[in-house]
Structures are given as structure tokens and as C-alpha cells.
Amino acid sequence: MSSFLQSNLLLFIVLYSYYSHNIPSPLFPSSCQLQGQFHLNRMQKSGDVIVGGLFPVHFFSSVSDLLFTSQPKQPTCHSFYVQGFRLAQTMAFAIDEINKNSSLLPNVTVGYTLYDNCAELGIGFRGALSLASGQEEQIILHNTCVGNPPVVGIVGDSSSTRSIAISSVLGLYRVPMVSYFATCSCLSDHQKYPSFFRTIPSDAFQVRAMIQILKHFGWTWAGLLITDDDYGLHAARSLQSELSVSGEGCLAYVEVLPTDKDTDELRRIVDVMKKSTAHVVIAFVYETHMINLMEEIERQNVTGLQWLASEGWTATAAVLQTPQLMPYLGGTLGIAIRRGEIPGLREFLLQIRPDLLENNSYGKTMVNEFWELTFQCRFAPAPAGWVEGGGALCTGQEDLENVNTEILDISNLRPEYNVYKAVYALAYSLDDMLRCKQGRGPFSGHSCGTLQSLEPWELVYYLERVNFTTPFGDQVSFDENGDVVPIYDVMNWLWLPDGTTKVHNVGEVKGSAFKGEELILDEDKIFWNFKSKKPPRSVCSESCPPGTHMVRKKGEPKCCFDCIPCSEGKVSNMSNSLDCTSCPEDFWSNPQRDHCVPKNTEFLSYHEPLGICLTTTSLLGTFICAVVLWIFMYHRRTPIVRANNSELSFQLLLSLKLCFLCSLLFIGRPRLWTCQLRHAAFGISFVLCVSCILVKTMVVLAVFKASKPGGGASLKWFGAMQQRGTVMCLTSIQAAICTAWLVSASPAPHKNTQYQNDKIVYECTVGSTVGFAVLLGYIGMLAVLSFLIAFLVRNLPDSFNEAKLITFSMLIFCAVWVAFVPVYISSPGNYADAVEVFAILASSFGLLITLFGPKCYIILMRPEINTRKVIMGRGAEL
């Protein structure tokens, strides 16, 4: 925000000065007069066309107090920046190379004017205005004002903030500006900055490249340090936005580094870094900011951090690569500008001589300062005490070959390569314009631009379409936003055993319209400044393993979460699942909750102990019935068999066998036919059984009545045919009930998961509860009726009164089935089937034992009383 206000304030001052000092007045002659000159450090060379440049040859500046009691003094710059000086020399070399190239801008000499911006917005703005308007003392106005502009374009600035401020003004006049180091993504707005171009990728790409590195190493928790300018603030905004959209990580903290050496603020920032659990620190800063920060980090001895550097200091911060700081900065990974090669640059730099610029006081200052810094000498007149203290005087004849100087190291040309491309972009654009043929031009009336009447916006047209290849093989062109095709090198700070430092290339990040950002890393070459020699872990919360899901911690970023196990029936088969997914109906979660497994199926099986017991009991009852039937068949002529209606006894034994056998339909996996048949067979078998008992009871009652005077007529209604007919009729009613039930709402197999979620209980649904109730009710009605009749005739005078046995058997039968109903309703799953089978077997055994047990006992154990005399009660008592 502060840089934005500064930009607008400067814009206001410029416009105010323009309008206030260019209004005609009768007191002054018709001329334009400079209100004052900016005394800036500069280099220049004359030519047919002039290209401007802005470079940070000094780190800092000092401005006198603005008391306005006298003419304000010009700002002074200090802390000479060798690399900034090399950038300026690179531009000079590129223009010298262009002038020697006969195929590029033939018959046109290109000159330059380069200003030192001292890394200060105000000074850089002054330099840009000086380039755009010229520095002539006075311009006499004529009727026509034609000619070349002071500069055809500007190479610069290096800072995003200065570029925003300068291009905001120069863009109004469409003066082309090609930056070699301003990366703010905001400058890609071609509506706001129509004449701005750059040969360095936008921060938007740099941010995405950093996210690719974070993603590659699994770093989801990082701190962010930024500068208090457009470069840092826009980078922070872009990084936070991209992380939020991609979900690849979170920022533990965002701290703005102070521009000056604010010790208290730096101490507070370092304390935040120490307390944070983030082991990765992203720094969108310049090396000037890092110097002050690292002094505090060294003082507090903060180690164990993995630095991820922006292009602002990755490959250019030699001042940070010292034995004192490398224990903290060793292993730094960073995004760096694409390295290039510029043949002939070293030879050009070796030609630098102070005496070559003797007639240029401004240029001489820069070169002389470089010379004094390189050879540790002073030009005469030397400062007081310099010679007395043993200092050497510079002669200007010193040889750069014999001194170890950073300016001659051309093995790592990065911003220099961007300067080189920027100069050539302007040159090729101007060359394309001058090659235009009249009548075929792009401007109104198919006209072409000319050198004599060149307008800045005409060159912008050609800059938008320029396309050339550098000697290094890189293609240079600009997209619709003025950006180049993005590509970055990935650098690593290697701390060698001898204490020296090497910044080497370990990969690259390329931008592609089809693949997005493509990261290529050679991990074997990366130096990690940790004991493990491996990449550090930097996460707020460890990944949730399969079987759990993330629950965000309240009030913390989304990367901070708890891992909650999935509930039963839900699974997560991936790490860091946001939620658990429910298993399909027939599946359930395994104990680890990481995948679904088929549910255990449960039914009354022949293979489980309960099923085996019930099956054995059923077959045993069937076998006993068969034995009893054989006994009765074998002794069918004995009095006790004949006296108890042998035919009905045989029918009763057969129906009991069916009752025992129908219980087997309730065991085993339910199928459609077993579900339909089990209740029908059960209902019909028991009705057949109870019908036989009812008829036997009625026969006993008829015999009792016939024994009384005048009761003989009652026996004619209970002959053999009537008995069979009654049994068949009563059984047919149950058969009709079963048929209606099966037709209207047939029982069917059903997978029940309500009893236990992790099991599938196979059961038969009754289909119609009413049908099942009617079936049981009909059996119960016959049983109660039999019980009542038998109870009424229980005191007949016969020694062997079967009515007593029937009464007792019906009492057991009714007790069993009355108890069955509530137990059946409350029993889950296969236990309901077991309860029903148990009721069938219990009631069947009750009938079998009570009705046929005493008779078999007499037949087998007491044959002496198996006589008509005893049976009729006229012999010995039983």
C-alpha cells in the first residue's frame, strides 16, 4: 500500500509540475526551460537513437533534510553494488554488439543513457523522467516540433515497485519499457501498463514453481517472509491464493521484513520463526533484506530451517554466502532466473578504464568508484589521511586480469542475460519497424514509422510482435500481457568441506500452455544441511493414515488437523481423506477401516452347533415316529391298538412325522421355495395332526354318549368315512389359508442388516403378518377345541381313558405355542427360526410322548394287560 501511495504521489507531482511550468506567460520568452536537473550517476554514449537504462549501481541513498530554507541538495548514493554495475556494462556491451552487427539496424548507430537508481523509488523515478524528457537546459519552441524522442525505450527497472510507478506515467505516453528483473504479477495487466514488457517471468509463475517444489518434497507447512513493496505483497497474495486453490499446503506465518535495520522488529520475526513448527521458510525478498535478517538469525543461532528462496536472492547474493552464514543458509533451494551465455562480455568488461570516460563526469564517478573498490585504492585527490595510513593511489593503469573481482565472473549470467535480451528486443523491434515498406505498413493509411518522426507507441506495436533467438538458443517473444515464455532454474546452495560455497543447478521449472508447470529435479545433486542429509519434514499435522479422516483443528489453517478413525461401516482407503465413505450394502469395514469386506452372512445353518442339534432332534423325532408306527403296525390286532382308533392313530403318527420333517425347512440358507414351503408345510402338518386328535376326542365323546340309554344314534355320525372326511375338511381349510397367503403376499428370502450392521442375516419375511397370524390362529383354535372336548370327557369310566392323555397333550401343545409367540417376536434373525423349530419339535415330542408313550409302554413292557378285559376296565387296574 505504501508503494502504491508513493507512486500516486510522484505521479501527482509530475503532472502538477508539467501543467504549472508549461503555461505560457507574457513575462517569459516562448521557450521551455528545465526547472532543475537531476544530478544522477550515469553512463552515456551518443547515437542516432538512444536507449535508456535504469540499474541499481548502489544499494542505498541518503536524502538531505527538506527544510526548504535553501535549494534542496541532490540525493547521494553509497554502498557500491558490483553486480548492478555489471548489469549496466552488459547493456553497454549489447548495444556495442548491435552497432557492430551489419544485419541488425544497418546504417543506424544506437546510443545509450544509463542511470543509477540507487535502489530507491524517488531516484529511479527521476532517472526515468530524465530519460523520457531529456536533460537539455533549454528548448526553443518553433512552429514545428519534430524529431526523435530523447529515448526510444527504457531497459529497466529492476524493482517491481519502481517499475509500477514509472510505467504508470510512461505508459500514458506509450514509452516502451522492458524490465529485466521486475516480477510482480500485477505488471501483467496490459490495460494498466500498456507499454510494459519484461524478459523475466512473472511472479505468478514463480509462485506456481515454488508450489511445485513444496509438493514434490511433501512440504505442506511453511513460513513466508516478504518485502514491504509490490514485489513481496503481490507474491504473498498470489502464494496464498494458489495454495488455497491447489490445496497443496498452508502458511504458518507471513512476516514483512523491515526495509531498514529495525532490530526490535527483526528480533520479533526471528522469535516467530523459532516458535513455529514449520521447518521450511519461503523468502520473497532481496538480498539487502536478508542481510539484516541473517544477522539476527546468527545472533540467536536459529538452525534447522530449509530456505526456499525467490529469484531476488537465490543466485546473486554472494554477500550471504559466507562461512558465518552458511551454517544457517546451507542447502538453500531457490528459483533463479534462467542462466545464459553472452560471448564476448568478459573481453568487453576487461576494457573498462577510468580514463576512457574522462569527459563524462557522471560516468567517471561510477567507473572510478568501481575501480577504487576493486583495487582498494583512491584516485587523487585522496581523502585526508588515506596516504598517511598506507593507502594506495589509483593510477588507472591497474590490470583487471590480475585481481579477483566478481565482475569478471560470467559463469552465472542470469539478470545480465535478461538485460541482454531486453536490449535486443528493443533493437529487433526498431529493426522491424525500419524494414517496413511504405504502403504496407500497420499504421493508418498503411504507413510505416520512420526514424525521423518516431513515435514511442509505434515501437510498442513492434515489441508486441518481436520474435528472435539469442546466440544461446533461447527464443524471445512476448505474450498478450508483455510476459516472456516462463522458465526458471532451480538452484541449491552447496556448502563444500573446505568452507567454500557453490550455487549449482539442480533442476528447472518450465511453463507450458498444455502441461502447466513442469518440475525437473536431480535430487542426487541436492545438498541438505541436516544431519540426515535428507529433505526435512515440514507439516503441521502428519498425514492421516488409511482408515481415518481429517478433522480440521478449530481456528487453525486447514493443514492442521486431527485424524479421527472412521466409524463402523465406513472406510477411507487413502491418506488424508476428508471424509469416510460408506461401504455398499453387502459390505462392511474391516478392523483397520481402510477397505470394505463382504459382510459375514448368518442363518440357521446345518453346519453350526445349533443347526446340528435341531437337525438331529428332528431326525430323531422322525425316527421315533417311524418306530412307533412300526410297533403299532406290528401289534395292530392287539386290544390297545384297536381300542384307540388305529386308523386315526396311524394318521396321527404320519402327521407327526411330517411335523418333525417340516422343521428341516427352517434350517439352511433361505431360498424362495423354502421360504414359501416352510410355513405352509408347518401349518398343514400341524393342522393334520391336531385334526386327527380333535376327531379322536370327538369319537371318545360319541362313545361316551352312546353308552348311555338312547345315545346310540350318536355313533352313526362318527364312522370311519366321517372321521376321514372331517380330517380332510379341517386340513383343506388350512391349505386354503396357505394358498391365499402365498398368492397375496408370499414369504421371500431377505437380507436383514438391522440386527447387526456387520452381518447379513438371511431370513424369510412372512410376507403377510395377517396370513401368518391366521395360520397360527387356526391351529390354536383346533388345539383349544380339542383341549376343551378332551377335558370334558376326561372322567370316562374306562380304565384306559385316552381323553386324559389328549387333555394333557393339548395342554403341553398350547403352552408351547403360547410361549412361542412373544419369544419369536423378540428373537433376532436366525434365532427366530431356531425358536420356531424348537416350538415345532417341542410340541411334536409332547404329542408323541403323551399320546403314544403309555401305549408303547403297555405293548412292549406290560403285554399281560394288553387285553380287552383290562382295557374295558373289568380286569385288574392298570
Side-chain angles (χ1 to χ4, degrees):
M1 180 59 73
S2 61
S3 59
F4 177 76
L5 293 175
Q6 286 179 316
S7 302
N8 284 277
L9 179 60
L10 287 169
L11 176 59
F12 172 75
I13 294 172
V14 171
L15 295 178
Y16 174 78
S17 301
Y18 174 81
Y19 286 111
S20 62
H21 296 302
N22 287 279
I23 299 174
S25 173
L27 299 178
F28 299 100
S30 178
S31 66
C32 292
Q33 183 175 348
L34 284 176
Q35 297 303 303
Q37 282 189 317
F38 299 134
H39 294 167
L40 305 170
N41 295 328
R42 73 178 181 186
M43 292 170 49
Q44 67 178 13
K45 178 180 179 180
S46 60
D48 300 326
V49 291
I50 303 298
V51 178
L54 296 170
F55 300 95
V57 183
H58 290 86
F59 271 131
F60 305 107
S61 63
S62 299
V63 181
S64 60
D65 294 334
L66 299 177
L67 299 178
F68 299 104
T69 57
S70 61
Q71 183 176 357
K73 295 181 180 180
Q74 297 286 340
T76 58
C77 301
H78 55 91
S79 298
F80 192 82
Y81 183 34
V82 175
Q83 188 175 354
F85 180 66
R86 185 168 65 184
L87 292 173
Q89 291 294 330
T90 302
M91 178 173 173
F93 166 76
I95 290 178
D96 183 67
E97 190 177 62
I98 290 169
N99 288 331
K100 293 177 182 179
N101 189 345
S102 59
S103 61
L104 181 61
L105 292 174
N107 304 319
V108 177
T109 301
V110 182
Y112 57 81
T113 299
L114 315 180
Y115 285 122
D116 175 14
N117 60 32
C118 301
E120 172 64 35
L121 174 60
I123 297 176
F125 207 101
R126 294 177 185 188
L129 292 178
S130 299
L131 291 172
S133 61
Q135 285 275 53
E136 290 82 359
E137 291 289 344
Q138 191 174 34
I139 301 175
I140 306 298
L141 296 180
H142 299 286
N143 292 332
T144 60
C145 185
V146 296
N148 292 339
V151 292
V152 295
I154 297 176
V155 176
D157 197 304
S158 59
S159 159
S160 294
T161 297
R162 294 191 294 272
S163 295
I164 291 170
I166 294 169
S167 60
S168 295
V169 175
L170 299 189
L172 299 175
Y173 305 98
R174 302 301 191 263
V175 176
M177 183 175 174
V178 185
S179 175
Y180 53 89
F181 213 67
T183 58
C184 180
S185 57
C186 59
L187 287 165
S188 295
D189 188 347
H190 225 44
Q191 296 295 321
K192 293 179 65 175
Y193 312 103
S195 60
F196 181 82
F197 301 84
R198 53 183 162 191
T199 54
I200 185 172
S202 162
D203 275 341
F205 175 75
Q206 182 176 191
V207 164
R208 293 194 294 270
M210 284 192 169
I211 291 176
Q212 289 294 318
I213 296 176
L214 293 175
K215 180 180 178 181
H216 181 82
F217 291 108
W219 296 332
T220 59
W221 189 235
L224 176 62
L225 304 178
I226 60 172
T227 55
D228 189 16
D229 56 14
D230 295 280
Y231 172 68
L233 296 176
H234 278 85
R237 190 177 303 120
S238 179
L239 184 62
Q240 288 174 317
S241 175
E242 290 288 341
L243 285 175
S244 177
V245 172
S246 66
E248 299 295 343
C250 304
L251 295 178
Y253 54 84
V254 179
E255 295 293 338
V256 180
L257 296 184
T259 304
D260 54 356
K261 193 173 182 180
D262 187 340
T263 305
D264 292 337
E265 179 64 10
L266 288 172
R267 185 181 298 113
R268 185 194 66 79
I269 293 173
V270 173
D271 286 340
V272 170
M273 297 169 64
K274 287 173 60 178
K275 294 176 182 177
S276 174
T277 57
H279 298 135
V280 174
V281 181
I282 305 170
F284 265 96
V285 298
Y286 299 111
E287 57 187 277
T288 53
H289 299 82
M290 285 296 295
I291 292 171
N292 295 330
L293 176 68
M294 291 312 299
E295 288 179 0
E296 182 64 25
I297 286 180
E298 182 185 11
R299 190 185 69 81
Q300 297 194 31
N301 193 28
V302 182
T303 59
L305 296 178
Q306 174 62 47
W307 292 88
L308 188 55
S310 69
E311 98 297 331
W313 62 283
T314 296
T316 58
V319 68
L320 297 172
Q321 298 162 9
T322 63
Q324 292 77 24
L325 297 182
M326 284 307 290
Y328 311 98
L329 291 173
T332 294
L333 282 175
I335 302 294
I337 304 167
R338 172 77 164 171
R339 189 190 72 84
E341 293 182 3
I342 307 177
L345 177 60
R346 191 175 190 277
E347 291 73 17
F348 179 84
L349 296 175
L350 286 171
Q351 297 174 14
I352 297 174
R353 288 291 185 276
D355 57 339
L356 296 180
L357 300 174
E358 197 63 41
N359 297 325
N360 185 345
S361 59
Y362 297 115
K364 180 179 179 180
T365 300
M366 278 197 285
V367 174
N368 284 2
E369 195 169 353
F370 161 71
W371 205 262
E372 290 178 347
L373 179 67
T374 302
F375 293 101
Q376 294 297 300
C377 61
R378 293 293 182 271
F379 283 100
W386 175 260
V387 176
E388 292 79 357
L393 292 176
C394 299
T395 64
Q397 300 304 314
E398 290 84 0
D399 190 357
L400 287 173
E401 284 274 24
N402 298 329
V403 68
N404 183 19
T405 174
E406 180 186 349
I407 198 171
L408 294 179
D409 182 9
I410 61 171
S411 62
N412 194 32
L413 299 178
R414 297 180 187 278
E416 295 85 355
Y417 188 49
N418 282 349
V419 170
Y420 184 80
K421 291 188 288 185
V423 174
Y424 266 91
L426 288 168
Y428 272 103
S429 300
L430 187 59
D431 184 66
D432 291 342
M433 186 190 74
L434 297 180
R435 292 180 185 275
C436 173
K437 294 182 180 181
Q438 290 294 337
R440 298 182 181 178
F443 308 125
S444 59
H446 299 289
S447 61
C448 298
T450 63
L451 202 59
Q452 293 72 28
S453 60
L454 177 63
E455 295 286 346
W457 57 266
E458 294 176 336
L459 194 60
V460 172
Y461 172 85
Y462 285 98
L463 260 176
E464 290 176 340
R465 293 158 179 78
V466 74
N467 195 329
F468 65 95
T469 303
T470 67
F472 190 57
D474 288 336
Q475 186 177 4
V476 179
S477 62
F478 302 105
D479 62 16
E480 65 276 7
N481 297 318
D483 295 324
V484 293
V485 176
I487 182 171
Y488 274 118
D489 290 337
V490 180
M491 309 302 293
N492 179 231
W493 288 22
L494 178 62
W495 192 14
L496 300 174
D498 60 0
T500 59
T501 303
K502 178 183 178 182
V503 180
H504 65 145
N505 191 317
V506 295
E508 65 181 13
V509 187
K510 294 181 179 179
S512 170
F514 304 101
K515 298 181 180 179
E517 299 77 37
E518 183 180 1
L519 174 65
I520 302 173
L521 279 180
D522 187 353
E523 292 193 47
D524 295 334
K525 295 172 62 176
I526 298 177
F527 168 73
W528 302 106
N529 194 25
F530 302 95
K531 291 182 179 180
S532 64
K533 302 302 178 184
K534 294 180 180 180
R537 290 279 296 166
S538 187
V539 295
C540 182
S541 299
E542 290 295 336
S543 297
C544 288
T548 63
H549 67 103
M550 299 187 300
V551 176
R552 182 173 171 179
K553 293 182 179 179
K554 188 176 181 180
E556 297 189 30
K558 64 181 180 181
C559 296
C560 302
F561 48 82
D562 293 318
C563 298
I564 306 300
C566 294
S567 58
E568 288 188 343
K570 293 186 175 182
V571 297
S572 64
N573 52 15
M574 297 185 299
S575 299
N576 290 339
S577 296
L578 295 176
D579 199 3
C580 300
T581 56
S582 298
C583 291
E585 183 180 2
D586 291 349
F587 290 81
W588 194 247
S589 54
N590 67 333
Q592 292 75 31
R593 306 284 199 274
D594 56 1
H595 68 275
C596 295
V597 294
K599 289 183 178 179
N600 293 327
T601 57
E602 185 175 280
F603 54 87
L604 190 57
S605 171
Y606 287 107
H607 304 290
E608 62 180 88
L610 180 59
I612 294 173
C613 290
L614 293 176
T615 302
T616 304
T617 305
S618 173
L619 295 177
L620 177 62
T622 304
F623 174 74
I624 293 174
C625 286
V627 171
V628 172
L629 180 61
W630 179 83
I631 292 172
F632 268 56
M633 288 290 292
Y634 186 80
H635 298 278
R636 62 184 179 277
R637 299 189 183 278
T638 61
I640 198 168
V641 174
R642 297 183 64 187
N644 287 280
N645 200 332
S646 60
E647 184 176 346
L648 283 177
S649 296
F650 294 149
Q651 289 182 3
L652 181 57
L653 284 170
L654 289 173
S655 64
L656 283 174
K657 287 182 64 176
L658 292 177
C659 289
F660 280 115
L661 291 174
C662 78
S663 64
L664 298 178
L665 294 173
F666 290 84
I667 304 174
R669 180 188 290 269
R671 304 184 186 280
L672 180 61
W673 69 271
T674 58
C675 289
Q676 292 176 335
L677 189 59
R678 60 168 58 172
H679 287 107
F682 155 69
I684 294 172
S685 298
F686 268 88
V687 166
L688 178 61
C689 178
V690 176
S691 297
C692 292
I693 296 173
L694 178 60
V695 171
K696 285 175 68 72
T697 309
M698 295 174 68
V699 170
V700 172
L701 180 60
V703 171
F704 172 69
K705 288 184 177 182
S707 63
K708 294 181 179 182
S714 58
L715 283 176
K716 67 178 181 179
W717 298 104
F718 287 95
M721 291 297 296
Q722 286 81 2
Q723 294 175 24
R724 296 191 199 101
T726 302
V727 171
M728 292 298 297
C729 180
L730 294 175
T731 306
S732 298
I733 294 174
Q734 183 73 307
I737 293 173
C738 292
T739 302
W741 179 16
L742 294 177
V743 171
S744 61
S746 174
H750 171 64
K751 297 178 181 179
N752 194 326
T753 58
Q754 300 301 315
Y755 303 125
Q756 292 183 348
N757 291 327
D758 60 340
K759 291 182 179 180
I760 298 176
V761 177
Y762 283 96
E763 61 182 11
C764 289
T765 58
V766 295
S768 172
T769 305
V770 174
F772 187 46
V774 172
L775 180 142
L776 291 179
Y778 183 65
I779 297 174
M781 181 191 71
L782 295 181
V784 171
L785 185 60
S786 299
F787 170 75
L788 292 175
I789 297 174
F791 182 78
L792 292 175
V793 297
R794 68 188 183 285
N795 292 320
L796 287 178
D798 288 356
S799 297
F800 190 83
N801 188 354
E802 195 174 20
K804 293 180 181 180
L805 301 179
I806 294 174
T807 301
F808 188 61
S809 67
M810 285 296 99
L811 187 62
I812 295 175
F813 183 87
C814 292
V816 169
W817 286 103
V818 168
F820 158 77
V821 174
V823 176
Y824 178 83
I825 293 174
S826 61
S827 297
N830 60 335
Y831 293 107
D833 291 336
V835 168
E836 191 166 358
V837 172
F838 179 81
I840 292 172
L841 295 178
S843 57
S844 298
F845 271 110
L847 294 176
L848 179 63
I849 294 172
T850 55
L851 292 177
F852 295 97
K855 299 174 184 178
C856 291
Y857 173 76
I858 292 173
I859 293 172
L860 298 177
M861 306 302 293
R862 300 286 300 275
E864 69 277 6
I865 63 174
N866 188 5
T867 62
R868 180 178 178 83
K869 181 179 180 180
V870 174
I871 295 303
M872 297 303 295
R874 292 190 290 269
E877 293 292 332
L878 293 178

